[in-house]
C-alpha cells in the first residue's frame, strides 16, 4: 500500500522493481492522495506495467471481486509517523 508521504514518488524504482527482481509478485494499492501524486508524474501506468496488475486506486465493496491475488505479505510504504501511530495492529511479531 502506498501512502502520500515523502518518498512515494520512488515507490516503483525504490521498492517495487527491487522486490520483483527478488522474485516477489507485487500488487499496488494506493491512498487517494498517493494516487494524485503518482498520476501527476505518470507513475500509475508504469506501476501497472511493471507489476502486470492493475493499480488499485478506489475502495471496493466486500461483495466485489478483488483485483489482486491473495497476499502473503503486506507493506505500507512510505509510512508516515501518523499512519504508524494510528494503525498499530497486533500481529505474531508485535505483542500487545
Amino acid at each position: 500500500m502506498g501512502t502520500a508521504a515523502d518518498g512515494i514518488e520512488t515507490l516503483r524504482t525504490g521498492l517495487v522493481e527491487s522486490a520483483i527482481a527478488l522474485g516477489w509478485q507485487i500488487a499496488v494499492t494506493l491512498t487517494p492522495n498517493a494516487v494524485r501524486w503518482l498520476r501527476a508524474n505518470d507513475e500509475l501506468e508504469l506501476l501497472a506495467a511493471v507489476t502486470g496488475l492493475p493499480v488499485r486506486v478506489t475502495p471496493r465493496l466486500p461483495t466485489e471481486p478483488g483485483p489482486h491475488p491473495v497476499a502473503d505479505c503486506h507493506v505500507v510504504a512510505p509510512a508516515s509517523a501518523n499512519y504508524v501511530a494510528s494503525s498499530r495492529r497486533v500481529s505474531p511479531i508485535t505483542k500487545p
Side-chain angles (χ1 to χ4, degrees), residues 13-88:
T13 58
L15 177 65
V16 171
E17 290 175 347
S18 299
I20 290 171
L22 291 171
W24 287 84
Q25 179 183 27
I26 304 297
V28 178
T29 299
L30 299 171
T31 63
N33 279 335
V35 171
R36 287 181 41 227
W37 291 11
L38 293 180
R39 185 173 282 142
N41 46 351
D42 299 321
E43 278 293 311
L44 293 182
E45 294 80 13
L46 294 171
L47 281 165
V50 76
T51 63
L53 294 168
V55 176
R56 189 165 150 198
V57 298
T58 56
R60 66 176 179 84
L61 295 173
T63 56
E64 297 175 327
H68 298 149
V70 175
D72 292 326
C73 176
H74 294 266
V75 175
V76 177
S80 66
N82 184 54
Y83 179 88
V84 172
S86 67
S87 63
R88 185 173 179 272

